[in-house]
């Protein structure tokens, strides 16, 4: 393959059974004092240092057919000795990360993000580059194809293997690649070609998936205004068991979900699993505007060698989380009552975490690198999610704008103003700029709201704001472990059952306490996250909710639990569940904001 850019890569699935990609990077004019190469330590959209360089299993350099010495400068940086002419690095990458953040390869499929496989040539980050994506050897991979939004230069029409080009390194790593014998369905949204490729074993109605995605995409394109910010878009979905997640890119998204969440052939309704998948698709697609283009100044450009700290993640993840389910109503996939059910579950999730009383949204955003993405058994007691509380802050802001402007303006107007700014200057937002633009756009005195929602740990005035839209909110006690709130025709006022005050999981020895919540019976008894309860009043522990159900508040029971390998005894005083479960009731003619009215 003829080199056609200052930096050229080749990538080949060399050993699927060993999960190894062979990669080369060639620099036509290496630095005279020794070319430096580095691999990112994190991937945009997932705010944690992930140390991708740990998966490089061999690395060698050559020039003019002769070996060139390499010296490691840091955990993710290497320098080649000075060399004349083209310099090539050859290396292997171990790829067995089934998430959307890394790279994966086996006999069934391959997938990679550029941050995991493409070493950057320092000093050439802003130069164009090409990559030759090669097919694996062997008859078992004869039907493999390539799916990517990376611009093609010279590829095979049927399979897509061949030469691709990127304007710079940032573009190169922002187009993930799916490899394998996947299924594909296509559609156009506002005239823009979209592809949806699905890997894994499944039975599903992909035409329905495409039709529903088209509605989502067209609503969001029209929300910000045509044309779309890309010429082509690719959804890449791997389906398996007990997997879920997504990661946005400038003209594509990588998704993983349970195979049963896909729409079943012949099914007309939208089940809970398919609804969850549509919400994920809507969320990642909305990011095409909100964070892939409009973004914090801390990300413009990204520094992939260290954390990019910003207090604005609530605006880019939280607001996106608000619009993802809202889109499903406004494009006609679900009704207002179904949406309110999703909203009630979100409100419940935030209300049940004591961390909302200890960490502000700005702190949650800034500390994502060390707290949100590194959660432990105490996280519900110490942090709040900038996704979930951020989405509630977006809801509250939307309702405040609608109320105070007497229905003439909404959060939609702010989002369009932010988009217009980006189209005009392409710059990232400074830490105080998002709020300034919201205030300028609406002409409203919103600073008190921002102070409360973003810089305090006070609860949002959701009951008052929802009431202004004909939706009544009330907190009641959960009626079981699976009760996450919802929409009701009338508030029941049922007695509060007893609760352990812990989140649990099945364990071979009994019941494992995953997280022990502040103020609950388990914490007051001295139990901790990670403990495995094996007996309740000398009976084997199997379902703690059922075993507590016959007690009265104030009754004392004895629990035996293992902490590590030590058997301990605890006396637990039964407590009634607190009112932390959201019920929403929709009045006749209420909820007009949901449909954008």
């Amino acid at each position: 393959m003829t080199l056609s850019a200052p930096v050229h890569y080749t990538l080949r699935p060399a050993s699927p059974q060993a999960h190894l990609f062979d990669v080369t990077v060639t620099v036509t004019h290496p630095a005279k004092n020794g070319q430096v190469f580095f691999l990112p330590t994190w991937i945009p959209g997932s705010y944690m240092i992930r140390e991708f360089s740990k998966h490089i299993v061999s690395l060698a350099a050559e020039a003019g057919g002769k070996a060139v010495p390499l010296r490691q400068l840091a955990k993710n940086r290497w320098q080649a000795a000075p060399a004349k002419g083209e310099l090539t690095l050859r290396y292997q990458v171990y790829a067995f990360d089934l998430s959307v953040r890394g790279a994966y390869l086996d006999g069934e499929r391959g997938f990679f993000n550029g941050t995991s496989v493409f070493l950057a040539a320092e000093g050439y980050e802003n130069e164009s580059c090409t990559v030759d994506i090669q097919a694996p050897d062997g008859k078992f991979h004869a039907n493999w194809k390539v799916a990517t939004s990376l611009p093609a230069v010279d590829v095979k029409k049927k399979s897509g293997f061949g030469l691709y080009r990127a304007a710079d390194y940032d573009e190169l790593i922002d187009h993930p690649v799916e490899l394998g014998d996947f299924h594909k369905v296509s559609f156009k949204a506002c005239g823009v070609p979209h592809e949806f490729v699905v890997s894994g074993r499944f039975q599903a109605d992909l035409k329905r998936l495409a039709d529903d995605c088209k509605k989502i995409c067209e609503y969001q394109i029209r929300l910000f205004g045509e044309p779309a910010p890309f010429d082509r878009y690719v959804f890449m979905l791997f389906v398996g068991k007990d997997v879920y997640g997504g990661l946005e890119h400038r003209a594509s998204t990588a998704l993983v979900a349970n195979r049963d969440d896909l729409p079943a052939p012949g099914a007309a309704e939208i089940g809970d699993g398919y609804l969850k998948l549509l919400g994920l698709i809507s969320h990642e697609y909305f990011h095409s505007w909100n964070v892939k283009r409009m973004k914090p100044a801390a990300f413009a450009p990204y520094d992939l060698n260290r954390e990019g700290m910003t207090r604005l993640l609530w605006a880019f993840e939280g607001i996106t989380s608000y619009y993802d389910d809202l889109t499903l109503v406004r494009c006609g996939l679900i009704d207002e009552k179904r949406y309110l059910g999703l909203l009630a579950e979100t409100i419940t999730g935030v209300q049940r975490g004591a961390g909302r009383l200890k960490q502000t949204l700005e702190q949650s955003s800034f500390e994502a690198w060390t707290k949100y993405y590194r959660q432990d058994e105490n996280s519900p007691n110490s942090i709040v999610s900038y996704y979930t509380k951020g989405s509630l802050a977006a809801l509250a802001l939307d309702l405040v704008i609608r109320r105070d402007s007497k229905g003439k303006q909404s959060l939609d107007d702010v989002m369009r103003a932010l988009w217009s700014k980006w189209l005009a200057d392409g710059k990232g937002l400074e830490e105080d700029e998002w709020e300034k633009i919201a205030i300028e756009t609406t002409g409203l005195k919103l600073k008190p709201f921002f102070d409360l929602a973003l810089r305090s740990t006070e609860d949002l005035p959701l009951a008052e704001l929802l009431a202004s839209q004909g939706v009544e909110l009330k907190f009641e006690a959960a009626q079981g472990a699976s009760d996450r709130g919802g929409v009701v025709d009338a508030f029941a006022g049922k007695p509060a059952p007893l609760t352990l005050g812990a989140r649990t999981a099945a364990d071979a020895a009994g019941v494992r306490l995953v997280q022990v919540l502040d103020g609950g019976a388990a914490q007051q008894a001295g139990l901790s996250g990670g403990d495995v309860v094996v007996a309740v009043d000398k009976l084997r522990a199997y379902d703690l909710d059922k075993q507590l159900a016959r007690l009265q508040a104030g009754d004392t029971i004895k629990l035996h639990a293992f902490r590590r390998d030590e058997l301990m005894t605890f006396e637990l005083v039964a407590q009634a569940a607190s009112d932390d479960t959201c019920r929403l009731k929709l009045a006749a003619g209420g909820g007009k904001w949901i449909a954008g009215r």
Side-chain angles (χ1 to χ4, degrees):
M1 183 73 65
T2 302
L3 302 187
S4 53
V7 181
H8 175 73
Y9 298 86
T10 66
L11 180 140
R12 183 173 67 89
S15 182
Q17 69 276 15
H19 318 298
L20 293 174
F21 284 111
D22 276 356
V23 189
T24 70
V25 52
T26 298
V27 180
T28 54
H29 301 289
K32 292 181 180 180
N33 59 345
Q35 181 63 51
V36 173
F37 298 87
F38 68 89
L39 197 66
T41 62
W42 62 283
I43 183 169
S46 185
Y47 307 110
M48 188 175 94
I49 298 298
R50 297 192 180 273
E51 313 292 19
F52 297 119
S53 59
K54 68 183 179 182
H55 296 303
I56 295 178
V57 296
S58 65
L59 182 64
E62 63 179 54
K66 296 182 179 181
V68 175
L70 279 173
R71 183 167 66 99
Q72 189 163 5
L73 305 177
K75 60 185 178 182
N76 66 325
R77 295 169 65 81
W78 294 263
Q79 184 173 32
K84 294 181 180 180
E86 293 178 353
L87 173 69
T88 297
L89 259 62
R90 301 184 185 277
Y91 55 101
Q92 286 191 318
V93 177
Y94 178 75
F96 205 50
D97 178 0
L98 200 56
S99 78
V100 296
R101 299 177 295 269
Y104 183 88
L105 180 64
D106 66 9
E108 299 293 323
R109 68 181 280 262
F111 170 82
F112 62 86
N113 287 288
T115 46
S116 291
V117 298
F118 295 134
L119 282 162
E122 190 169 84
Y124 286 87
E125 296 94 327
N126 297 321
E127 300 290 332
S128 65
C129 53
T130 51
V131 55
D132 180 15
I133 302 175
Q134 300 177 354
D137 296 330
K139 63 180 181 179
F140 296 109
H141 308 108
N143 294 325
W144 276 33
K145 305 179 290 291
V146 175
T148 183
S149 54
L150 196 63
V153 176
D154 182 13
V155 303
K156 294 180 179 179
K157 186 174 181 180
K158 184 177 180 181
S159 68
F161 287 104
L163 190 66
Y164 293 82
R165 176 184 288 273
D168 51 32
Y169 185 76
D170 183 64
E171 181 178 9
L172 176 69
I173 62 172
D174 208 11
H175 295 275
V177 176
E178 178 75 25
L179 305 170
D181 189 15
F182 47 74
H183 298 262
K184 182 173 74 171
V185 62
S186 302
F187 62 93
K188 287 187 176 182
C190 296
V192 177
H194 286 62
E195 296 173 10
F196 208 119
V197 301
V198 186
S199 301
R201 300 179 185 181
F202 64 92
Q203 288 184 325
D205 184 349
L206 294 188
K207 183 181 182 304
R208 181 186 177 191
L209 176 65
D211 290 343
D212 291 343
C213 285
K214 176 184 174 74
K215 295 176 182 178
I216 292 170
C217 297
E218 290 194 333
Y219 171 77
Q220 292 186 5
I221 292 171
R222 289 166 180 157
L223 172 67
F224 287 99
E226 296 183 59
F230 37 73
D231 298 325
R232 174 174 164 264
Y233 194 92
V234 182
F235 294 96
M236 288 167 277
L237 170 64
F238 170 75
V239 293
K241 181 175 173 56
D242 299 329
V243 291
Y244 176 81
L247 190 63
E248 69 277 0
H249 298 275
R250 66 181 65 189
S252 63
T253 187
L255 309 162
V256 293
N258 290 336
R259 59 174 57 87
D260 294 336
D261 291 347
L262 286 168
E269 74 286 348
I270 293 180
D272 290 343
Y274 186 38
L275 180 61
K276 183 179 179 181
L277 175 59
L278 290 174
L280 176 64
I281 290 167
S282 176
H283 183 99
E284 304 305 338
Y285 195 75
F286 195 88
H287 273 315
S288 301
W289 294 267
N290 199 37
V291 90
K292 291 313 302 180
R293 288 165 176 86
M294 302 184 297
K295 65 183 64 172
F299 296 166
Y302 295 107
D303 183 345
L304 297 175
N305 290 298
R306 59 181 61 85
E307 297 93 334
M309 313 297 281
T310 175
R311 292 177 171 81
L312 290 174
L313 288 184
W314 71 269
F316 294 96
E317 292 293 354
I319 288 178
T320 300
S321 296
Y322 173 55
Y323 275 99
D324 55 21
D325 288 338
L326 202 59
T327 293
L328 304 184
V329 189
R330 292 182 176 177
C331 74
L333 288 173
I334 62 174
D335 61 18
E336 294 174 2
K337 188 173 182 180
R338 191 84 180 269
Y339 167 76
L340 287 174
L342 296 172
L343 177 59
E345 292 185 9
T346 300
I347 294 172
T348 297
V350 174
Q351 185 71 19
R352 287 180 178 174
R356 78 185 198 283
L357 304 174
K358 302 172 185 176
Q359 186 186 49
T360 70
L361 268 180
E362 285 195 346
Q363 289 170 336
S364 176
S365 299
F366 199 77
E367 297 174 326
W369 301 85
T370 54
K371 292 190 176 182
Y372 183 79
Y373 275 91
R374 296 181 183 273
Q375 293 192 32
D376 58 26
E377 68 280 353
N378 193 51
S379 292
N381 300 324
S382 60
I383 69 171
V384 69
S385 167
Y386 54 80
Y387 284 89
T388 52
K389 188 178 178 183
S391 73
L392 298 183
L395 163 67
L397 177 59
D398 194 5
L399 299 188
V400 165
I401 293 172
R402 289 172 183 272
R403 181 195 64 191
D404 293 354
S405 69
K406 295 181 170 48
K408 295 179 182 179
Q409 293 180 304
S410 72
L411 184 58
D412 295 354
D413 297 297
V414 177
M415 300 308 294
R416 284 189 282 263
L418 290 162
W419 181 238
S420 295
K421 176 208 175 292
W422 186 87
L423 289 173
D425 63 21
K427 294 181 179 179
L429 292 166
E430 300 298 335
E431 294 294 283
D432 62 348
E433 198 169 4
W434 200 100
E435 293 178 44
K436 288 181 178 179
I437 290 173
I439 292 169
E440 291 170 0
T441 300
T442 61
L444 301 174
K445 296 178 180 179
L446 296 175
K447 188 177 184 303
F449 171 83
F450 287 126
D451 287 340
L452 180 142
L454 308 181
R455 292 177 282 275
S456 85
T457 56
E458 294 183 39
D459 285 328
L460 296 164
L462 293 178
E464 172 192 342
L465 292 170
L466 287 169
S468 72
Q469 294 287 329
V471 178
E472 189 175 353
L473 182 157
K474 185 176 181 181
F475 287 108
E476 297 181 339
Q479 297 301 306
S482 62
D483 185 358
R484 297 176 295 173
V487 180
V488 297
D489 295 325
F491 298 114
K494 294 181 180 179
L498 299 182
T499 180
L500 182 67
R503 296 171 185 169
T504 64
D507 189 274
V511 178
R512 180 166 54 88
L513 305 187
V514 179
Q515 293 164 328
V516 172
L517 305 179
D518 270 0
Q523 188 186 71
Q524 292 189 10
L527 288 155
S528 300
D531 291 351
V532 177
V533 180
V534 295
V536 179
D537 274 349
K538 298 184 179 181
L539 295 175
R540 180 175 62 85
Y542 62 94
D543 186 327
L544 297 183
D545 283 332
K546 285 185 178 179
Q547 291 176 283
L548 289 175
R550 294 182 179 273
L551 302 176
Q552 299 292 321
D555 287 353
T556 299
I557 56 173
K558 187 170 290 187
L559 303 184
H560 288 87
F562 276 105
R563 180 171 298 168
R564 299 178 295 276
D565 61 345
E566 299 177 23
L567 183 63
M568 298 183 172
T569 303
F570 301 89
E571 287 193 353
L572 182 143
V573 179
Q575 289 184 4
S578 60
D579 292 339
D580 60 6
T581 304
C582 176
R583 315 282 187 214
L584 296 177
K585 186 172 72 172
L586 180 63
K592 291 183 178 180
W593 100 91
I594 300 172
R597 300 193 296 271

